[in-house]
Amino acid sequence: MNRLSLFRKINNKFKSLVAKIVMLVLYRAIKVLAREDSRIMNEFLTWKDGLTVALEASPDGTAIYMQKYGDKLKRIKACSNVDIRITFRSVDAAFLVLTGQMGVARAYAEHRFMLNGDICQTMSLVRCIDIAESYLFPRLLTKRILRKVEKKEFSTLRVYRKIFVGV
Amino acid sequence: MYIPGYYEFVNPGKILSGKYALENISTEFKLFGSSRVMILSDKVLEKLGQVQILSDALISGGVKVVEIYTDIPADSSIEVVNKIAELYRKANADSIVALGGGSVIDTAKGLRMLISQGGTDILKFVGAEVLPYAKHVPFAAVPTTSGTGSEATAVAVIKDNGRKVKMEFISQFLLPDLAVIDERFTTSMPAKVTAMTGLDALTHAIESYSCLQKNPVSQCYARSAIELIKDNLITCIESPNDRKARLAMANGSLLAGSAFSNSMVGIVHAIGHSLGGVCSLPHGLAMAILLPHCMRFNLDKCRDDYTEILKMFVTPEEFVAVPASQRAEKCIEVVTAFAHSAAEKAGLSLKLGDNKINRDDFNEVAQRAINDGALIVNPKAAGLEDVLAILNAAY
Ligand SMILES: [Fe+2]
């Protein structure tokens, strides 16, 4: 009774882990691109200072919280009072989106996440995520999941280098 | 037929449509166990005697009308909702009937949410898709315009005068229990309003039919809506007292409302909301002006859907006479001709330039449009330049 099967337990753990890693990469990508990609830079400038965003991937608490701080994006501790909260309805939904099997617009249309917060600023965030995905995922994949694949202003390699090596 | 990987659909409430629909509200309310009704409406309808017709019908059916509030402005606000809630509680009412257009019905949705959840300020529930189910407050919506479809949607737009923004409330618990269409209320709209609201309903149906969130059920509703509107809108403008055509239009509007409440709308509404906000262009007129241009913009992503829509607009013989590769284009042509014909008969121009819109405002309009939530389910991504091109084409 009320016991998770072993398979499902492992499955959930695995998806949570992958979700966490991709969310970190996505966060770092937006942080880097906010200074390097002209379009994300422009979007970022329109965000109000101190804007807080929560990305919650699963009910077990796998989540990432970030804040616009001056001209930078930084991670913050978990908090309940954020400006934009995107909560996936299951870790499976988060996995679909974060592994590039589904774009954000499609996920919205399929009620894969719940949104709390100002819709204008969320639209800007969604555009940033779409552009970031154009860098992070191979074109073969983005062509399938994005309504429009944005042109890259520089190579994917450079973004990954900046994310992981920092230079 | 299109089937998405996953979809959800919330049915509208019980529909009471046609002769003596009003007289049946009281028995429905009694089934819910309520007997003390508060009526919400506006000053114009009160003056026309329509509020009296409604109240007579309710009282004859054996429920008490304990409060009537008609001071609802065209753009209802948070303050108005909070104030009505106070009156509702003072009168010890236990159910709500809203008679009017989108603003009255949205106000009533706000009131119902506040009463149901408890508290004195509706602002607490902004962005509350996650609102839990609370106390049930029986609620009937009786539309007097055929356009917004608000009687069948899970959305309410209410202005926050303090911050000068329109707040959007989305929750399945906003849906009225009863959507009541009574033919006595359908003939009062003047030609211009009939055309504008009717084309708004058509836009709901077409955007709903072709946007990312479409699904087999919403498309079913949208299809019926398009057919009803196509067959009856022009008749309603030309012979305003044709009750059969009016009733059909009201049904078209309701079905289109339920369709878009489940599938959302797209770029026409994104730009239309902004034209309303920046230049105060009436919503229905904005829809009528923008629809053909936005369909052209979306064309390459909507070929199949537009081909289906063409089928709804023309006879089978006319349909097969158009080469398969040209049917989507033909659909846009037919919809454009339909909108123009309705507008012309009502004395409206479908050019932004003829409606006191200034090109200088286009930048601000476009900026707001790309941040409008409706764009997220538009089949094609649209940027600032795309919106500007559409605005210029519509000038
Ligand atoms: Fe509309």
Side-chain angles (χ1 to χ4, degrees):
Chain A
M1 283 284 247
N2 196 36
R3 243 180 62 196
L4 218 49
S5 72
L6 183 66
F7 172 76
R8 185 66 202 229
K9 212 186 230 165
I10 296 169
N11 190 56
N12 287 356
K13 278 256 161 8
F14 170 72
K15 286 184 172 174
S16 282
L17 182 69
V18 173
K20 181 84 188 191
I21 293 168
V22 179
M23 284 196 299
L24 280 171
V25 171
L26 193 62
Y27 151 75
R28 302 238 8 169
I30 293 177
K31 185 186 169 90
V32 167
L33 290 167
R35 280 193 267 168
E36 309 249 337
D37 182 283
S38 66
R39 296 152 303 183
I40 294 195
M41 202 187 299
N42 284 333
E43 296 287 354
F44 194 69
L45 287 174
T46 66
W47 300 5
K48 71 167 190 198
D49 201 26
L51 180 90
T52 46
V53 180
L55 259 179
E56 301 174 329
S58 84
D60 76 1
T62 303
I64 179 168
Y65 299 84
M66 51 192 126
Q67 182 174 32
K68 179 186 175 178
Y69 193 77
D71 61 348
K72 274 195 196 129
L73 192 64
K74 61 167 198 174
R75 275 183 76 192
I76 53 171
K77 275 208 291 277
C79 62
S80 58
N81 207 354
V82 291
D83 296 306
I84 300 175
R85 178 187 305 278
I86 295 173
T87 312
F88 285 99
R89 284 172 66 185
S90 65
V91 71
D92 309 272
F95 188 80
L96 278 178
V97 174
L98 292 166
T99 53
Q101 297 178 64
M102 184 184 280
V104 178
R106 180 83 246 153
Y108 178 84
E110 292 192 5
H111 306 267
R112 297 294 182 183
F113 58 82
M114 291 185 291
L115 172 69
N116 264 299
D118 181 55
I119 189 82
C120 289
Q121 295 203 313
T122 309
M123 290 300 287
S124 173
L125 179 67
V126 168
R127 283 194 294 273
C128 290
I129 294 177
D130 278 359
I131 297 172
E133 289 192 335
S134 305
Y135 282 100
L136 297 176
F137 294 134
R139 197 180 146 76
L140 214 65
L141 199 151
T142 49
K143 244 172 59 186
R144 209 165 50 83
I145 64 161
L146 298 180
R147 288 178 292 175
K148 183 182 174 206
V149 183
E150 297 289 349
K151 276 208 188 66
K152 293 192 240 180
E153 291 181 355
F154 39 84
S155 75
T156 290
L157 208 65
R158 185 164 139 187
V159 179
Y160 272 113
R161 199 186 66 218
K162 294 233 175 206
I163 290 174
F164 291 115
V165 188
V167 283
Chain B
M1 185 158 198
Y2 173 77
I3 175 105
Y6 175 86
Y7 78 92
E8 295 182 358
F9 191 92
V10 185
N11 286 304
K14 186 166 180 175
I15 296 168
L16 314 180
S17 166
K19 215 174 178 66
Y20 297 130
L22 285 186
E23 275 68 12
N24 290 343
I25 296 175
S26 43
T27 48
E28 297 287 340
F29 272 12
K30 281 190 226 161
L31 290 178
F32 283 125
S34 55
S35 57
R36 299 174 61 85
V37 180
M38 176 172 193
I39 295 178
L40 266 55
S41 190
D42 63 36
K43 286 272 178 249
V44 179
L45 292 166
E46 185 175 31
K47 231 174 255 161
L48 288 173
Q50 306 207 309
V51 176
Q52 192 61 54
I53 295 175
L54 170 64
S55 137
D56 283 348
L58 291 170
I59 297 169
S60 305
V63 295
K64 283 200 179 84
V65 174
V66 294
E67 180 68 78
I68 299 178
Y69 189 88
T70 57
D71 211 5
I72 297 173
D75 256 336
S76 188
S77 65
I78 303 285
E79 292 80 2
V80 175
V81 172
N82 292 344
K83 192 173 143 198
I84 300 175
E86 219 173 285
L87 295 171
Y88 179 97
R89 289 181 175 127
K90 219 178 260 166
N92 201 14
D94 62 11
S95 47
I96 304 165
V97 179
L99 172 75
S103 171
V104 171
I105 296 177
D106 281 6
T107 304
K109 284 178 176 171
L111 169 69
R112 195 245 210 136
M113 181 158 71
L114 188 51
I115 298 297
S116 163
Q117 298 284 339
T120 53
D121 191 2
I122 189 189
L123 216 49
K124 226 172 68 194
F125 309 118
V126 169
E129 206 177 346
V130 281
L131 216 58
Y133 189 70
K135 195 178 100 192
H136 183 80
V137 179
F139 169 30
V142 190
T144 53
T145 58
S146 295
T148 63
S150 185
E151 68 278 10
T153 69
V155 189
V157 181
I158 302 169
K159 218 169 160 183
D160 178 358
N161 279 333
R163 291 197 302 146
K164 287 201 171 110
V165 285
K166 285 190 171 175
M167 311 299 307
E168 209 172 54
F169 297 85
I170 306 175
S171 161
Q172 69 200 74
F173 306 126
L174 285 172
L175 267 172
D177 298 302
L178 307 171
V180 185
I181 299 174
D182 193 297
E183 44 184 28
R184 275 165 284 185
F185 297 138
T186 54
T187 55
S188 61
M189 269 189 296
K192 277 198 170 75
V193 182
T194 303
M196 288 195 285
T197 53
L199 291 170
D200 181 25
L202 179 67
T203 308
H204 294 156
I206 291 180
E207 290 215 278
S208 166
Y209 195 87
S210 54
C211 77
L212 284 188
Q213 205 169 318
K214 66 195 174 191
N215 60 63
V217 192
S218 71
Q219 286 195 318
C220 208
Y221 279 60
R223 172 188 298 270
S224 298
I226 292 172
E227 286 173 356
L228 285 166
I229 295 166
K230 169 216 112 192
D231 287 339
N232 294 285
L233 178 57
I234 305 283
T235 314
C236 289
I237 298 168
E238 287 180 332
S239 357
N241 290 315
D242 186 327
R243 286 193 172 193
K244 218 173 141 202
R246 290 285 199 179
L247 189 64
M249 260 313 288
N251 273 273
S253 163
L254 184 154
L255 290 166
S258 180
F260 93 79
S261 177
N262 282 283
S263 70
M264 311 299 279
V265 278
I267 188 168
V268 188
H269 274 80
I271 306 179
H273 292 154
S274 317
L275 274 171
V278 178
C279 315
S280 304
L281 187 65
H283 178 71
L285 186 55
M287 296 299 103
I289 294 172
L290 294 167
L291 179 63
H293 301 284
C294 294
M295 284 180 81
R296 234 162 271 141
F297 173 75
N298 280 335
L299 174 64
D300 51 326
K301 299 275 186 184
C302 295
R303 286 203 163 268
D304 293 349
D305 290 331
Y306 288 177
T307 301
E308 281 302 308
I309 294 174
L310 177 65
K311 259 189 223 162
M312 307 167 204
F313 265 93
V314 301
T315 62
E317 293 77 17
E318 287 170 314
F319 181 80
V320 291
V322 183
S325 63
Q326 292 296 308
R327 283 173 186 157
E329 281 87 352
K330 182 73 184 173
C331 168
I332 300 178
E333 213 176 278
V334 170
V335 169
T336 308
F338 181 79
H340 276 270
S341 149
E344 202 175 288
K345 292 198 160 76
L348 297 165
S349 162
L350 293 191
K351 284 200 172 114
L352 289 176
D354 293 341
N355 288 291
K356 297 191 205 125
I357 303 297
N358 201 325
R359 269 183 203 269
D360 298 340
D361 292 328
F362 280 4
N363 265 321
E364 199 191 335
V365 173
Q367 196 64 50
R368 277 206 205 187
I370 61 165
N371 284 329
D372 190 286
L375 260 192
I376 198 162
V377 294
N378 193 63
K380 190 169 169 180
L384 210 57
E385 296 302 315
D386 301 314
V387 176
L388 282 172
I390 290 170
L391 286 168
N392 280 313
Y395 195 79

